[in-house]
Amino acid sequence: MSAEVPKIVVEPPGPKARALLERDAKVISPSYVRFYPLVIERGEGCILWDVDGNAYIDFNSGLAVLSTGHRHPKVIEAIKKQCDKFLHYSNTDFYYEESVRLAEALCEITPGKFEKKVYFGNSGTEAVEAAIKLAKWHTRKHRFLAFIGAFHGRTLGSLSFTASKPVQRRYFYPMLPGVTHVPYPYCYRCPFKQEFPDCGYWCIDFIEEYVLKKYVPPEEVAAILFEPIQGEGGYVVPPDGYFQRLKKLADKYDILLIDDEVQSGMGRTGRWFAIEHWDVVPDVVCIAKGIASGMPIGATVARSELMDWVGGSHASTFGGNPVSCVAALATIEVIREEHLLENAARQGNYIMKRFREMQEQYPIIGDVRGKGLMIGVEFVKDPKTKEPAVEEAKEIMIRSWKRGVAVITCGICTLRIAPPLIITRELVDKGLDIIEQVIKEVVQEKAR
Ligand SMILES: Cc1ncc(COP(=O)(O)O)c(C=O)c1O
């Protein structure tokens, strides 16, 4: 099948897509951010088709969700079987085995060889909300540290921690009080204008010297919430050694570490969870997106002794839906059986190598960074000034899509490469050839 893709039979958005856009504009909330007018009809593996018959290589995975690709047969089989048993019975109020089996599996694959417990919600934001409430409940403390550039969700609790674009927060103030944001280790654009490693991890010392010792009493801080790799913020990878130091700081002041793996988890970076790249064991892990290959479910996994809240303190009617649970169990099985952690690492290294080769030819590529299949390619007008090439990044995204590669941006000017974990070398090459051609054209046109 991959011989025929990508295949553009009509310039997108085609007539059927345009008709749908008109209906959408009348009835769907305008608060959504649509990257471009791609109207999907169906998907299979790493390919998706739009309503006008165009076939695209999926370098986006439905926002890093379709970990085993579109409609993996094992995931579909598990869903169908469960549909013949029961669709829902509120795990908040009753029991079923599907959620217990999934919780057992998640306790096994999350970092830390200690006893854990799992809370189930339906989304990433709910996984984060649960972590926030749990940290408050367990510690009886009310302050938190978070990072500038972070994205943790859009409900009011998690939104209080989200800080990647003003539009996400505008007019929603006040939010949860007590959240203090500190700079994230974004070395390519160091907020302190320093160079790694000469900086000596100043951004860690800053937290202690200028935040905890000046105005945020550390004994009032329940937890630090962080993304091991910032997602929405620009696929930003902290330098080696950063998280070990953050953990040391947290331990010194008896502060919990909440690891938001909603985007980076479930194998995307070549490990089950991205924090494993730095051998740090967090107290709480938030999971969603890729966990069930497209079915909605979120999970908050915590040390057992930490999850000491009582009946009624937190729950969700749909949380841990049995159909989503079996889809997640099948996803975990497929990741193991098809060696997808290894594939993510292998293909990811190859993709980064190819972009680094392109970088030598096209100085518009300012930075290439990532782990596994969570790769950011940041575009700049000039590699010395690092002035963000916002319009160019957008143009590269749109043109890649129009040529048959569904890829999106993040941060200010970064292309995010996040294909399903099953992606093959053949599709990677096809997709990258198109993106390279587009970069070349955009660079040439801007030079005119
Ligand atoms: C790191 C991270 N946390 C939380 C969320 C929120 O997840 P959801 O959109 O499922 O609520 C996202 C979504 O992009 C995310 O990337």
Side-chain angles (χ1 to χ4, degrees), residues 63 65 122-128 150-155 158 162 226-232 260-264 286 288-289 297 374 416:
L63 266 297
V65 167
N122 307 284
S123 61
T125 199
E126 284 175 73
V128 172
F151 190 89
H152 296 292
R154 306 162 179 94
T155 49
S158 67
T162 287
F226 68 92
E227 291 161 277
I229 296 177
Q230 274 190 346
E232 276 302 304
D260 181 349
E261 296 266 3
V262 166
Q263 188 151 175
S264 57
C286 303
K289 284 195 186 283
I297 184 166
M374 188 168 185
R416 62 172 122 177

Side-chain angles (χ1 to χ4, degrees), residues 61 64 263-271 344 371-374 418-421:
S61 311
Q263 188 151 175
S264 57
M266 297 308 293
R268 173 135 305 276
T269 69
R271 304 278 177 92
K371 296 269 184 207
L373 291 170
M374 188 168 185
L421 309 183

Side-chain angles (χ1 to χ4, degrees), residues 234-259:
Y235 274 28
V236 181
V237 187
D240 288 344
Y242 179 82
F243 284 114
Q244 287 91 332
R245 284 166 175 79
L246 189 71
K247 167 93 179 121
K248 220 168 141 192
L249 184 71
D251 286 349
K252 181 172 170 184
Y253 292 104
D254 199 19
I255 298 171
L256 297 174
L257 281 184
I258 303 174
D259 175 16

Side-chain angles (χ1 to χ4, degrees), residues 24-42:
D24 180 288
K26 285 198 181 120
V27 292
I28 299 289
S29 165
S31 62
Y32 299 169
V33 180
R34 267 66 179 267
F35 283 91
Y36 38 81
L38 167 61
V39 181
I40 180 163
E41 186 178 70
R42 72 191 162 93

